Amino acid sequence: MKVMHVLNSRIFSGAEKVVCQIITAFAGEVDMVYCSPESGTVGTILASQGISYRPIPSLTPKNLRSAIERERPDVIHAHDMRAGFVAALCCGGIPLISHIHNNAMDARGLSPKSLAYLLAGARARHIFWVSQAAFEGYRFHRLFARKSSVLYNIIDTRLIQERLAQDDSSYDFDVIYVGRLTYPKDPQRLMRVCARMKAKKPNLKVAVVGAGDLEDETKALCKELGLDDNVSFLGFRENPIKMIRDARVLTLISHWEGTPMCVLEAMALGTPVVATPSDGMRELIDSGISGWLCDTDEALAEKMLSIIEDPASRAALAQKASEKFARINDEASYKAILTRCYLGE
């Protein structure tokens, strides 16, 4: 069997990590190929992991048909709504699996995106949603309830330990943010929260790991708020695992989320999480038990500072997060679900 994973991204972030984990999990059992718009960064990362890459100039029906004709997959596994829509136009008689990794605001109402995805949903053999909130957030989700299921992201714990061992540096950050600097992640709000924290902790140290189209604006706001000595913009890092492990808090201040990989990594590594209560975060973090979910800037700053300054509280949250991670990160079950879907069972 051969499975083609189709993506519409030139970056390497959460969904892309999920695809790589799926391909790695099936190595030696199922032939899999990663197909996306050409990216040197993605190509380098995939090569380092031994993953077959089929780059295309852009995700259009013409380009994808060409890739399908060359690879001749038995199953197409398309990730997120645009990839699902284009794959639905091209798959012909090849079974299509659609996999939605977030709860996008622009698909919650009547919109071109929500309407276009009707085609993908109709053609798909099955639709995986990364969280219950992602499923319910799609405007027409009831139409596809019978072919839909929630498949929470997992992480490869063996790989986490390997990547941890690859970095022998030590990091001294109070707070770490890992993710794209784009509108859904609201990096400008992160800067405003950091400014509140600095008012009470002048020597605050924050790491921002990631890049995106709001990078320049976020850096400008950082300077405007007088945070230049407190916030380090580190850009994209292929392996930020040791940074996450060494940080006192990981934060996400997003408008919406699916099942963020960096949060799963933090839970596995014993780093407490403070985040906004966006979509899938409510299914990962039990606020006040395994981390904190806060609506306001004031509360976000207060909870992060309390964790930074109270090692006992930090240890208690980390322990509960590790326990929950152990319950939800079922790698064998995840692989079995995908196997049955690929086989049409």
Side-chain angles (χ1 to χ4, degrees), residues 37-324:
E38 189 167 9
S39 164
T41 297
V42 171
T44 299
I45 293 170
L46 297 183
S48 71
Q49 297 184 28
I51 292 174
S52 297
Y53 182 34
R54 171 56 57 201
I56 54 179
S58 59
L59 186 62
T60 65
K62 178 182 178 181
N63 290 334
L64 185 57
R65 283 193 190 98
S66 177
I68 291 170
E69 288 172 4
R70 178 164 180 174
E71 296 296 331
R72 298 186 179 278
D74 299 294
V75 176
I76 296 173
H77 190 157
H79 299 267
D80 285 330
M81 289 188 174
R82 175 166 170 75
F85 171 71
V86 176
L89 294 173
C90 305
C91 62
I94 303 171
L96 173 64
I97 309 300
S98 179
H99 200 147
I100 307 302
H101 293 269
N102 60 45
N103 186 1
M105 294 286 288
D106 54 357
R108 295 182 184 184
L110 194 62
S111 68
K113 186 172 186 176
S114 64
L115 289 169
Y117 187 69
L118 287 171
L119 174 64
R123 293 295 303 273
R125 168 189 283 175
H126 193 81
I127 307 172
F128 289 119
W129 305 83
V130 77
S131 67
Q132 187 66 28
F135 169 64
E136 294 176 356
Y138 174 52
R139 175 64 177 80
F140 302 107
H141 69 277
R142 290 185 179 87
L143 295 177
F144 305 124
R146 291 187 176 182
K147 61 167 67 176
S148 290
S149 62
V150 174
L151 184 65
Y152 294 105
N153 288 341
I154 63 163
I155 58 175
D156 184 337
T157 52
R158 175 191 55 78
L159 185 59
I160 290 295
Q161 293 304 314
E162 287 180 4
R163 290 180 177 173
L164 194 61
Q166 290 168 3
D167 188 349
D168 58 5
S169 299
S170 295
Y171 304 95
D172 187 28
F173 293 112
D174 296 306
V175 179
I176 187 168
Y177 164 87
V178 180
R180 293 170 290 121
L181 302 182
T182 56
Y183 172 77
K185 304 292 187 178
D186 207 352
Q188 295 101 325
R189 185 180 181 189
L190 174 62
M191 294 300 102
R192 294 191 290 271
V193 172
C194 288
R196 284 180 174 270
M197 297 172 68
K198 181 183 177 178
K200 295 183 178 180
K201 184 177 175 58
N203 64 342
L204 177 73
K205 297 177 184 177
V206 180
V208 175
V209 180
D213 55 16
L214 293 181
E215 184 171 351
D216 290 342
E217 293 179 31
T218 305
K219 288 180 176 178
L221 182 58
C222 175
K223 184 177 182 65
E224 179 184 329
L225 294 173
L227 295 168
D228 279 351
D229 293 335
N230 304 94
V231 179
S232 299
F233 289 89
L234 303 178
F236 171 77
R237 296 293 180 97
E238 183 180 348
N239 180 15
I241 295 300
K242 185 64 159 47
M243 293 182 186
I244 295 173
R245 205 282 301 275
D246 287 356
R248 295 165 185 85
V249 183
L250 180 137
T251 191
L252 282 182
I253 305 181
S254 306
H255 291 294
W256 67 82
E257 283 290 351
T259 309
M261 299 296 281
C262 64
V263 171
L264 289 172
E265 290 164 352
M267 293 171 72
L269 294 165
T271 302
V273 175
V274 176
T276 47
S278 55
D279 307 320
M281 289 303 303
R282 294 192 296 270
E283 297 171 48
L284 283 181
I285 301 298
D286 301 313
S287 192
I289 299 173
S290 60
W292 289 99
L293 300 178
C294 308
D295 286 303
T296 67
D297 292 3
E298 180 181 8
L300 287 162
E302 175 189 336
K303 294 306 182 186
M304 281 193 270
L305 285 172
S306 70
I307 293 170
I308 292 167
E309 296 172 352
D310 185 351
S313 171
R314 186 162 68 245
L317 290 170
Q319 178 62 33
K320 291 297 184 181
S322 296
E323 291 172 2
K324 181 162 187 178

